[in-house]
């Protein structure tokens, strides 16, 4: 197609009224606009919008578009010709206009219409001109959707347009635009200058790129201008993926480059894009400012290769945080659903937001903004200013200063300030001054937050009885790809009203769809509705027809439906919590009564099979429990793990029950001891009384306490009403009874300084895969015995429930045992060659544990290798082959705790059961949900908190939803390995371990 024909076609398309244009017209107009700098920087969607709503103006010379003081209605872009911007100075009585500047092709003007401001200058065509004219309403829509890019275009044209103060021609290269808190730009750095670490990393990567014969860093022409040493984002990602096995995905590589870009080491050639795995061009800062120097020397290349080994791991760890900060600097409409979900997951773990509902946090994901400030002493806002934003400190600290009082407080990472500005219109009560350089904050603006609160309140339904709220419901927001049969979800309520709502809406033949309310209730009711109360309420619902002689058919149908729902509830309850329901006598009695009444009622024929199935499960459990009655456990005296003493012929998957006996020692201050045997549910009060009697302490029970003394001398006092005391001891801890005022006199036993007793074996002769296999089988049995309720008991305090956490205690102890076993074995090996062999073996062991999806053991092994006593053995680590070192770096990245263990959560989220999860993190999630959210809100149960806890408890259920069926390796010494891994030799005193490490490899003197 000839250029003349194309020109005619686009003018024809532009001559049409916007409402008459079709997609072909829009494409022709967009093609024409793409030829104009800087409009070509706009995304295709914005150009399409301009093409669909813009008007074409072909004006003669000398036409006045508007005059100073007139109210503006249009925004303009110059497509051809030139215009004059004139200003009538006040001291000349307006007779002699001053020409401020000329506008050429690509200039834009008229943006004052955004704020309904009058024109402050006059614009006249200097030659024949072609203009694009956009009406105020249309321009505002385009501006809102492309605010960052439009703002950049207008800023770059500002000096030409004549609407800013102090207009003068500019011939030198533009300086870096200052960061604007109101308009954060993800394409710009967040620091004034790079940190030494990132500067060094940038030099290293550039040196290796330039030295690469097939380097993607090349001189390229961009818009007619030669750009030195730049490369497309896609090729930089490819290169980084090929450079190191530590980088697995393109997203990880892009995050690493973004980490360099946000510190100014790398930048987009036009400063318009953050790092993207696309064809946008990027270059290093040293190439931009001309300080790169010549081709790297051989010495430079060797130094870069040496540094890349450790430096890349640091960059890898910074990548996810840099990516998140980049997303948080995007405008709301630019954030993808995946990015919004990523932000939401981060917000869940910010303490300052923990009091907000999940719905509000989800809404905040789209509007919360990251901002950074480079210099200490910067004033964020002044006392008396209008309150516009709420801030959360992510990094750094700020001083709170009040007139006449000076600095009254210092806020640090995790603190928030300015919240009152979101609730009322009071002025700022203090001045906030940055105390450190490079402070990072999250900002929530008042207008957005108030809108979110209004939307949430509009979607909230409150049910009242006697003038008080008894149930608060929130409308379920429809999410992409998900469907819920329920319009409302429960936010809070009284226990009785929530149960009634549950029976009415979540049970019955007509109910379908996914909704967690029923399961959340079943998993967490013990927190707010004890079992006895729940059974009484269910019995009342089932017997609601008693003493009601006159019933209409409708009444009878309603009553029968409620009876059916109670039976279904019992079935769901047993399915959700299994044997925990049958441990309660009131539940067993109710099930038997229910079965008798269901069988006697012909209208409940369909429910007969359901209740019979529940009865069968109950009788099987009771039979199994009777067979294993009288189990006895032993806490060995020399630090070995708790073991079954007698009572179960098949110890595999043995659950520790509250009425099982345990044999253990109790010491007093002079290290004399007595041996006791008690059921695990025995309270500390009873144990201390019996121990005091046997040890002849002759003191009143109220003067005594039970204390654990750890191997490092730390002391931990038990509450009188605490239970399962022996199982809660640390690895090498001992139980003491002491006078309250003599606790400081308690010291560890001499043998606590050394290792626990274990089987001596030469690890070199054992197969690493066989060890991992046997560890996984052993750990699976321990994990299988932990009930979900034990997480609640552990979080709220077992003394509140009078329940034991023995199975969870034993599983947690196993984690510490494995971790310190790794350290003990390495620092106990004096031979350098054997230590190197052990390091290799343990790295392989971690790999096999990961392969077997035993992530609890995987974490324990890697954390053991990361222990200070091991990590300081530089001479030993230097002899490890590079492939093992890289593998270990991968493992370190996976257990990296930053961003709330984001790397691990992403990894485990892709696994299918069976999985042995990292239990300490699940407990951390439970604790965060508990401490960050009140259990009761205005007298109602905070059910959002229950939902958060149930989510974590469901993780355990999911991990065990399939049985473990590993393919056994060829057994060389199966029995030996099984015995060895069940009782490991462990030192858990960090001071002792560090001393042993220093002995085998003394610190080098500089």
């Amino acid at each position: 197609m000839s250029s003349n024909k194309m020109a005619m076609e686009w003018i024809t398309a532009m001559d049409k009224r916007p409402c008459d244009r079709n997609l072909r017209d829009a494409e022709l107009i967009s093609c024409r606009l793409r030829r104009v700098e800087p409009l070509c920087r706009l995304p295709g969607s914005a150009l399409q919008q301009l093409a669909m709503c813009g008007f074409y103006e072909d004006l003669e010379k000398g036409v006045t578009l508007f005059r100073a003081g007139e109210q503006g209605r249009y925004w303009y872009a110059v497509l051809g010709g030139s215009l004059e911007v004139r200003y009538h100075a006040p001291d000349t009585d307006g007779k002699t206009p001053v020409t401020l500047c000329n506008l050429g092709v690509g200039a834009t003007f008229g943006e004052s219409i955004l704020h309904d401001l009058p024109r402050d200058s006059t614009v006249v065509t200097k030659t024949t001109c072609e203009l694009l004219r956009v009406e105020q309403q249309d321009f505002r829509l385009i501006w809102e959707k492309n605010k960052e890019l439009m703002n950049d275009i207008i800023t770059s044209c500002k000096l030409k347009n004549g609407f800013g103060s102090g207009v003068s021609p500019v011939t030198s290269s533009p300086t870096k635009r200052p960061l604007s808190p109101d308009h954060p730009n993800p394409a710009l750095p967040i620091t004034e200058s790079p940190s030494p670490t990132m500067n060094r990393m940038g030099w290293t990567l550039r040196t290796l790129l330039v030295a690469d014969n097939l380097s993607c860093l090349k001189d390229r022409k961009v818009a007619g201008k030669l750009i030195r040493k730049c490369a497309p984002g896609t090729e930089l990602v490819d290169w980084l993926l090929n450079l190191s096995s530590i980088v697995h995905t393109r997203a990880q590589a892009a995050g690493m480059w973004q980490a360099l870009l946000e510190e100014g080491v790398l930048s987009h050639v036009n400063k318009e894009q953050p790092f993207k795995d696309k064809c946008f061009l990027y270059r290093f800062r040293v190439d931009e400012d001309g300080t790169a120097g010549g081709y790297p020397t051989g010495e430079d290349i060797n130094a870069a290769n040496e540094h890349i080994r450790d430096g890349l791991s640091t960059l890898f760890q910074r990548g996810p945080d840099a990516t998140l900060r980049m997303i948080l600097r995007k405008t709301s409409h630019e954030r993808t659903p995946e990015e919004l979900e990523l932000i939401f997951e981060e917000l869940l773990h910010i303490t300052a937001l923990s009091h907000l509902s999940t719905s509000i946090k989800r809404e905040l994901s789209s509007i919360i903004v990251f901002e950074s400030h480079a210099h200490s002493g910067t004033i964020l806002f002044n006392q008396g200013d209008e309150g516009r934003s709420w801030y959360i400190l992510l990094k750094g600290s700020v001083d709170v200063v009040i007139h006449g009082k000076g600095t009254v407080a210092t806020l640090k990472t995790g603190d928030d300030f300015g919240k009152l500005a979101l609730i009322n219109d009071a002025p700022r009560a203090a001045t906030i001054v940055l105390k450190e350089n490079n402070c990072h904050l999250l900002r929530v603006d008042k207008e957005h937050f108030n809108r979110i609160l209004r939307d949430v309140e509009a979607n909230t339904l409150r049910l009242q009885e006697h003038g008080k709220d008894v149930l608060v419901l929130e409308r379920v927001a429809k999410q992409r790809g998900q469907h819920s049969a329920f319009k409302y979800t429960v936010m809070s309520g009284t226990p009785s009203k929530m149960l009634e709502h549950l029976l009415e809406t979540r049970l019955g033949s007509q109910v379908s769809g996914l909704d967690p309310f029923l399961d959340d209730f079943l998993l967490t009711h013990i927190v707010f509705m004890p079992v006895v109360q729940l059974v009484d309420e269910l019995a009342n619902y089932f017997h609601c027809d008693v003493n009601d002689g006159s019933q209409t058919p409708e009444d009878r149908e309603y009553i029968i439906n409620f009876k059916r729902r109670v039976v279904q509830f019992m079935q769901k309850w047993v399915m959700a919590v299994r044997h925990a329901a049958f441990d309660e006598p009131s539940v067993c009695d109710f099930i038997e009564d229910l079965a008798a009444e269901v069988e006697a009622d012909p209208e409940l024929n369909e429910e007969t099979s359901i209740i019979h199935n529940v009865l069968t499960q109950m009788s099987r459990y009771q039979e199994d429990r009777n067979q294993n009655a009288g189990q006895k456990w032993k806490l060995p005296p020399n630090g070995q793990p708790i073991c079954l003493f007698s009572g179960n012929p098949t110890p595999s998957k043995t659950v520790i029950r509250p009425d099982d006996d345990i044999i253990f020692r109790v010491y007093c201050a002079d290290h004399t001891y007595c041996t006791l045997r008690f059921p695990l549910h025995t309270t500390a009060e009873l144990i201390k009384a019996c121990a005091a009697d046997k040890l002849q302490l002759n003191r009143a029970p109220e003067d005594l306490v039970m204390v654990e003394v750890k191997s490092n001398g730390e002391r931990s006092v038990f509450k009188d009403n605490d239970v399962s005391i022996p199982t809660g001891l640390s690895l090498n801890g001992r139980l003491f009874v002491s006078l309250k005022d003599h606790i400081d006199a308690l010291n560890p036993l001499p043998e606590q300084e050394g290792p626990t007793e274990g089987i001596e074996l030469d690890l070199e002769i054992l197969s690493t895969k066989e060890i991992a296999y046997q560890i996984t089988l052993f750990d699976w049995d321990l994990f299988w015995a932990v009930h979900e309720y034990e997480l609640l008991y552990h979080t709220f305090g077992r003394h509140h429930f009078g329940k034991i956490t023995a199975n969870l205690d034993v599983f947690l102890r196993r984690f510490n045992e494995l971790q310190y076993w790794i350290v003990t074995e390495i620092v106990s090996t004096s031979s350098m060659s054997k230590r190197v062999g052990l390091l290799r073996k343990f790295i392989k062991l971690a790999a096999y544990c990961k392969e077997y999806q035993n992530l609890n053991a995987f974490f324990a092994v890697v954390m053991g290798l990361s222990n200070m006593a091991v990590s300081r053995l530089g001479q030993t680590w230097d002899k490890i082959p590079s492939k093992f070192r890289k593998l270990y770096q991968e493992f370190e990245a996976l257990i990296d705790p930053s961003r709330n263990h984001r790397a691990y959560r992403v990894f485990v989220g892709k696994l299918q059961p069976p999985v042995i999860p990292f239990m300490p993190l699940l407990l951390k999630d439970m604790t965060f949900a508990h401490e960050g959210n009140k259990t009761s809100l205005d007298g109602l149960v905070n059910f959002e908190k229950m939902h958060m806890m149930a989510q974590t408890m469901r993780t355990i259920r999911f991990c065990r939803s399939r049985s473990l069926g590993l393919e056994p390796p060829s057994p060389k010494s199966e029995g030996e390995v099984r015995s060895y891994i069940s009782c490991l030799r462990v030192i858990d005193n960090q001071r002792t371990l560090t001393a042993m490490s220093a002995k085998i490899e003394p610190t080098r003197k500089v």
Side-chain angles (χ1 to χ4, degrees):
M1 185 182 291
S2 68
S3 59
N4 286 338
K5 186 176 181 182
M6 283 187 68
M8 287 303 299
E9 282 194 344
W10 97 263
I11 291 173
T12 303
M14 278 296 282
D15 277 341
K16 293 181 182 179
R17 291 183 305 172
C19 60
D20 294 333
R21 292 174 193 159
N22 56 32
L23 289 176
R24 170 65 179 160
D25 296 330
E27 185 55 39
L28 285 167
I29 298 168
S30 296
C31 285
R32 173 69 178 87
L33 298 182
R34 280 193 194 98
R35 290 160 45 198
V36 179
E37 171 67 35
L39 295 183
C40 60
R41 303 183 208 166
L42 290 172
S45 58
L47 289 174
Q48 285 278 97
Q49 288 174 291
L50 286 172
M52 290 302 287
C53 68
F55 292 86
Y56 177 68
E57 297 264 18
D58 187 3
L59 302 176
E60 297 296 322
K61 174 183 176 181
V63 175
T64 301
L65 268 78
F66 52 75
R67 300 181 187 278
E70 292 179 354
Q71 194 64 36
R73 294 173 53 201
Y74 306 110
W75 172 81
Y76 298 89
V78 183
L79 305 180
S82 65
L83 303 94
E84 273 188 7
V85 179
R86 298 173 180 172
Y87 176 66
H88 293 265
D91 56 354
T92 61
D93 298 324
K95 294 178 181 178
T96 310
V98 178
T99 299
L100 292 176
C101 61
N102 295 323
L103 303 179
V105 175
T108 64
F109 58 96
E111 65 275 4
S112 62
I113 60 173
L114 284 171
H115 310 291
D116 289 319
L117 296 173
R119 305 295 195 187
D120 56 3
S121 54
T122 300
V123 177
V124 181
T125 57
K126 189 177 181 182
T127 65
T128 302
C129 290
E130 290 181 288
L131 304 175
L132 175 72
R133 172 170 59 87
V134 181
E135 293 186 345
Q136 183 181 35
Q137 183 178 355
D138 295 322
F139 181 66
R140 279 179 171 167
L141 288 173
I142 296 169
W143 172 273
E144 282 303 319
K145 290 184 178 178
N146 305 275
K147 191 178 292 184
E148 298 300 328
L149 282 172
M150 292 295 287
N151 189 56
D152 282 346
I153 289 172
I154 288 170
T155 300
S156 66
C157 296
K158 199 78 173 174
L159 296 176
K160 298 178 183 177
N161 288 358
F163 297 115
S165 58
V167 176
S168 59
V170 177
T171 54
S172 59
S173 60
T175 58
K176 187 189 296 182
R177 193 184 74 169
L179 299 177
S180 166
D182 293 325
H183 302 287
N185 185 349
L188 297 179
I190 63 173
T191 59
E192 260 198 1
S193 58
S195 65
T197 301
M198 299 305 276
N199 218 9
R200 174 73 173 168
M201 197 63 222
W203 174 86
T204 299
L205 290 173
R206 185 189 176 278
T207 299
L208 296 177
L209 270 165
V210 173
D212 189 338
N213 292 329
L214 302 174
S215 175
C216 54
L217 279 185
K218 297 175 182 175
D219 298 345
R220 290 176 167 87
K221 273 197 172 183
V222 179
K225 183 180 177 182
L226 184 66
I227 305 293
R228 299 282 183 188
K229 294 279 187 297
C230 59
T234 49
E235 293 185 24
L236 288 171
V237 167
D238 288 336
W239 181 82
L240 200 53
L241 281 167
N242 292 326
L243 180 68
S244 172
S245 60
I246 195 176
V247 189
H248 294 290
T249 66
R250 300 190 72 84
Q252 287 173 341
M256 294 164 76
W257 286 116
Q258 176 62 29
L260 292 168
L261 186 144
E262 73 170 11
E263 291 213 18
V265 175
L266 187 80
S267 67
H268 178 252
V269 292
N270 290 328
K271 304 284 195 303
E272 292 170 358
Q273 298 289 342
F275 190 87
K276 293 182 180 177
D277 185 10
K278 294 185 176 179
C279 292
F280 297 121
L281 294 175
Y282 300 89
R283 60 178 168 176
F284 287 91
R285 178 181 184 172
V286 291
D287 291 311
E288 181 183 0
D289 59 23
T291 60
Y295 188 85
T297 64
E299 191 176 323
D300 289 337
I301 296 169
N302 290 337
N305 279 317
E306 185 67 28
H307 182 256
I308 198 72
R309 204 183 322 163
D310 300 320
L312 207 59
S313 178
T314 302
L315 190 62
F316 181 87
Q317 291 171 17
R318 292 195 182 197
D321 285 335
T323 301
L324 180 66
R325 286 190 286 266
M326 180 266 291
I327 295 168
L328 285 165
R329 289 193 290 159
K330 286 184 176 183
T331 54
S332 298
H333 69 273
E334 288 181 313
R335 299 177 186 179
T336 66
E338 293 77 18
E339 290 172 343
L340 291 174
E341 192 62 29
L342 179 66
I343 298 171
F344 172 68
E345 288 176 11
E346 292 297 321
L347 299 188
L348 287 177
H349 299 282
I350 293 178
T351 306
L353 303 176
S354 61
H355 66 288
L356 301 176
S357 71
T358 303
S359 305
I360 291 179
K361 287 174 191 161
R362 198 168 281 285
E363 291 291 331
L364 284 177
S365 303
S366 64
I367 58 92
I368 199 163
V369 174
F370 172 86
E371 65 176 58
S372 63
H373 297 273
H375 299 294
S376 63
T378 300
I379 295 175
L380 205 58
F381 55 74
N382 284 296
Q383 184 176 347
D385 286 352
E386 176 194 355
R388 293 173 49 206
S389 303
W390 172 27
Y391 296 89
I392 301 165
L393 263 171
L394 293 181
K395 176 189 168 189
S397 60
V398 299
D399 282 334
V400 183
V401 182
I402 295 179
H403 295 323
K405 294 183 180 179
T407 301
V408 296
T410 297
L411 305 177
K412 298 181 179 178
T413 299
D415 291 334
D416 65 298
F417 54 92
K419 194 186 304 180
L420 289 176
L422 277 68
I423 301 168
N424 53 51
D425 292 322
R428 297 292 193 189
T431 297
I432 298 293
V433 184
L434 270 58
K435 194 173 183 179
E436 300 177 33
N437 292 334
N438 296 323
C439 284
H440 295 177
L441 304 105
L442 289 177
R443 191 186 81 233
V444 179
D445 292 329
K446 181 177 180 177
E447 57 180 302
H448 297 307
F449 191 72
N450 286 346
R451 173 184 58 77
I452 289 170
L453 287 182
R454 286 195 300 270
D455 291 347
V456 169
E457 190 57 38
N459 288 320
T460 301
L461 179 65
R462 300 175 185 275
L463 304 183
Q464 294 189 333
E465 291 179 0
H466 308 295
K468 292 185 177 180
D469 289 346
V470 291
L471 193 66
V472 179
L473 306 174
E474 186 175 85
R475 186 183 295 277
V476 176
K478 291 183 179 179
Q479 293 184 24
R480 192 180 302 175
Q482 296 183 7
H483 171 74
S484 174
F486 309 105
K487 292 183 179 179
Y488 289 90
T489 187
V490 176
M491 303 295 289
S492 59
T494 62
S496 298
K497 196 64 182 179
M498 289 194 296
L499 177 61
E500 179 188 319
H501 181 71
L502 188 156
L503 291 170
E504 288 180 345
T505 63
R506 299 313 198 266
L507 293 163
S509 57
Q510 303 303 314
V511 174
S512 61
L514 298 173
D515 180 77
F517 175 44
L518 172 59
D519 198 47
D520 292 347
F521 186 96
L522 295 172
L523 287 173
T524 62
H525 74 86
I526 58 173
V527 174
F528 55 86
M529 194 178 202
V531 171
V532 173
Q533 182 188 346
L534 177 55
V535 169
D536 285 346
E537 298 254 4
L538 290 170
N540 290 336
Y541 282 119
F542 192 82
H543 299 124
C544 58
D545 57 339
V546 177
N547 301 323
D548 190 0
S550 57
Q551 292 179 359
T552 64
E554 290 80 9
D555 290 340
R556 184 62 189 163
E557 184 181 356
Y558 175 81
I559 290 166
I560 289 299
N561 281 336
F562 238 102
K563 288 178 180 284
R564 286 174 177 151
R565 287 169 181 167
V566 171
V567 174
Q568 291 171 19
F569 181 93
M570 293 307 300
Q571 180 194 31
K572 301 283 188 185
W573 191 5
V574 169
M575 287 172 61
V577 305
R578 306 178 309 286
H579 65 261
F582 303 135
D583 281 334
E584 302 290 341
S586 59
V587 176
C588 297
D589 293 343
F590 181 61
I591 289 172
E592 289 173 354
D593 293 344
L594 206 60
E597 296 197 41
V598 168
E599 288 174 358
D601 193 333
E603 292 182 278
L604 297 173
N605 276 337
E606 292 180 15
E607 279 62 46
T608 305
S609 61
I610 294 175
I611 200 66
H612 279 175
N613 179 265
V614 173
L615 269 174
T616 302
Q617 290 186 58
M618 185 174 78
S619 57
R620 281 178 185 166
Y621 171 71
Q622 289 172 340
E623 183 181 335
D624 176 63
R625 180 163 185 164
N626 290 335
Q627 281 181 353
N628 296 325
Q631 283 183 164
K632 295 182 186 67
W633 300 84
K634 181 181 180 183
L635 179 61
N638 295 316
Q640 304 99 315
I642 288 168
C643 58
L644 194 64
F645 187 64
S646 67
N648 191 338
T650 56
S652 177
K653 291 186 178 177
T654 305
V655 176
I656 304 175
R657 305 185 193 281
D659 49 3
D660 288 352
D661 282 351
I662 184 165
I663 301 165
F664 57 98
R665 287 181 180 180
V666 178
Y667 296 82
C668 61
D670 63 359
H671 293 180
T672 57
Y673 66 87
C674 63
T675 302
L676 301 178
R677 172 180 159 184
F678 276 110
L680 277 147
H681 60 67
T682 306
T683 63
E685 186 175 24
L686 185 54
I687 293 173
K688 78 177 180 185
C690 185
D693 181 54
K694 284 200 170 193
L695 293 166
Q696 299 179 346
L697 294 182
N698 300 321
R699 291 298 182 99
E702 58 269 20
D703 296 330
L704 301 170
V705 286
M706 294 296 301
V707 183
E708 178 193 3
V709 178
K710 301 179 181 179
S711 63
N712 61 2
E714 287 181 21
R715 305 168 191 91
S716 179
V717 179
F718 292 98
K719 297 181 178 71
D720 274 355
N721 58 350
D722 215 340
V723 293
S724 62
I725 304 298
T727 62
L729 297 181
S730 61
L731 271 181
N732 221 339
R734 299 293 189 272
L735 197 56
F736 282 72
V737 60
S738 168
L739 290 168
K740 284 183 178 177
D741 51 358
H742 286 185
I743 292 174
D744 290 343
L746 300 179
N747 294 307
L749 305 178
E751 58 264 31
Q752 283 182 264
E753 289 286 329
T756 60
E757 284 190 7
I759 297 171
E760 294 282 350
L761 260 182
D762 185 358
L763 276 174
E764 288 186 46
I765 65 171
L766 300 181
S767 159
T768 308
K769 192 168 188 178
E770 179 70 31
I771 295 172
Y773 174 76
Q774 292 297 340
I775 284 176
T776 301
L777 293 184
F778 187 86
D779 291 359
W780 177 259
D781 285 349
L782 297 181
F783 176 53
W784 183 89
V786 178
H787 194 279
E788 294 94 310
Y789 276 174
E790 292 190 56
L791 274 71
L792 286 176
Y793 303 151
H794 182 277
T795 304
F796 285 87
R798 53 196 174 195
H799 56 281
H800 288 302
F801 303 91
K803 298 288 187 180
I804 69 167
T805 56
N807 298 288
L808 178 59
D809 293 339
V810 170
F811 187 54
L812 291 173
R813 185 192 188 282
R814 176 64 172 177
F815 175 83
N816 292 324
E817 184 183 14
L818 286 172
Q819 180 183 351
Y820 282 106
W821 164 63
I822 299 291
V823 186
T824 303
E825 288 295 331
I826 292 172
V827 300
S828 300
T829 306
S830 56
S831 164
M832 171 72 79
S833 60
K834 286 188 176 182
R835 277 203 310 278
V836 171
L838 273 181
L839 279 180
R840 292 176 56 176
K841 195 173 195 72
F842 287 145
I843 292 170
K844 284 171 66 178
L845 179 63
Y848 283 127
C849 287
K850 182 181 169 209
E851 181 185 325
Y852 287 144
Q853 299 190 166
N854 183 356
L855 302 179
N856 202 61
F858 168 78
F859 262 78
V861 174
V862 179
M863 287 175 73
L865 292 170
S866 305
N867 186 285
M868 182 179 64
V870 177
S871 62
R872 64 167 298 279
L873 300 172
Q875 296 171 46
T876 309
W877 282 100
D878 286 344
K879 295 184 181 297
I880 299 293
S882 59
K883 71 172 185 177
F884 281 94
R885 214 167 6 228
K886 286 179 180 178
L887 192 59
Y888 174 64
Q889 286 175 347
E890 283 184 45
F891 295 162
E892 278 195 310
L894 188 54
I895 73 165
D896 176 25
S898 66
R899 293 176 57 222
N900 194 33
H901 284 279
R902 174 71 183 168
Y904 166 75
R905 292 182 192 275
V906 170
F907 172 76
V908 79
K910 298 174 183 177
L911 300 181
Q912 292 300 313
V915 177
I916 305 177
F918 177 42
M919 184 60 77
L921 184 58
L922 295 177
L923 292 176
K924 178 187 171 189
D925 290 345
M926 293 288 287
T927 302
F928 185 88
H930 175 48
E931 294 180 352
N933 301 273
K934 293 181 179 178
T935 304
S936 178
L937 296 172
D938 301 322
L940 303 179
V941 175
N942 179 6
F943 203 75
E944 275 216 301
K945 174 176 178 173
M946 301 303 120
H947 173 67
M948 292 169 69
M949 292 189 147
Q951 289 282 67
T952 303
M953 296 163 78
R954 268 191 288 274
T955 300
I956 291 183
R957 184 198 298 169
F958 172 76
C959 290
R960 294 191 297 221
S961 58
R962 292 181 190 165
S963 58
L964 187 69
L966 301 178
E967 188 71 32
S970 52
K972 293 180 181 177
S973 47
E974 184 179 346
E976 255 189 324
V977 175
R978 191 183 301 120
S979 299
Y980 175 74
I981 61 97
S982 65
C983 188
L984 300 165
R985 193 174 65 96
V986 171
I987 298 171
D988 71 333
N989 187 322
Q990 187 64 49
R991 187 174 59 251
T992 303
L993 292 169
T994 305
M996 293 172 68
S997 173
K999 187 176 180 181
I1000 59 172
E1001 197 172 299
T1003 304
R1004 292 178 180 176
K1005 293 182 179 179
V1006 181

